[in-house]
Amino acid sequence: MTPEQLEILRAAPGTDFSIGVVPGPDRTLLYGYDCDRYTWHIFQKDGQLHKAVYLGTNREFTVKETGDAFDARHLIPNKRLYPEACDFTFCLQLKRLDLYLSFTTFGSLFDHDRRDPFVGGTF
């Protein structure tokens, strides 16, 4: 490699991990928890993505972010996701970005027949 090629390589863009709203109605996209037992709720509402992180059922948000798109690597909790609460299309997009999704046993949160489009706390 030449010095010029090295500079080209350094300037070359890496993978774009941006992810935005998916087609369809307002709903939960990801729902899970991290190693500190904080609940992670990623949802779309009013044409934007929202990230809500809170401890237990008190719904006092420690993280409350809204945007047109996010870095997908920062939307996945480091412990588990509840598959019955996650959106297939959104998860497929994450998988296509080669991101690891650690799911717990299906049905451990509720049965698949839920009616509310949001599983966790929203703002």
Side-chain angles (χ1 to χ4, degrees), residues 29-47:
L29 301 173
L30 293 177
Y31 186 76
Y33 57 95
D34 64 21
C35 290
D36 295 321
R37 304 297 294 169
Y38 280 86
T39 298
W40 287 51
H41 184 205
I42 311 305
F43 58 99
Q44 67 182 38
K45 183 176 163 188
D46 301 327

Side-chain angles (χ1 to χ4, degrees), residues 13-78:
T15 302
D16 181 5
F17 287 98
S18 296
I19 193 164
V21 173
V22 295
D26 293 351
R27 65 193 182 279
T28 292
L29 301 173
L30 293 177
Y31 186 76
Y33 57 95
D34 64 21
C35 290
D36 295 321
R37 304 297 294 169
Y38 280 86
T39 298
W40 287 51
H41 184 205
I42 311 305
F43 58 99
Q44 67 182 38
K45 183 176 163 188
D46 301 327
Q48 292 194 303
L49 284 182
H50 303 270
K51 177 180 177 181
V53 180
Y54 53 91
L55 186 58
T57 58
N58 66 12
R59 308 284 164 90
E60 290 181 22
F61 301 107
T62 56
V63 175
K64 209 167 117 171
E65 299 175 3
T66 300
D68 294 327
F70 283 99
D71 182 329
R73 296 170 293 183
H74 302 291
L75 297 179
I76 305 168
N78 61 15

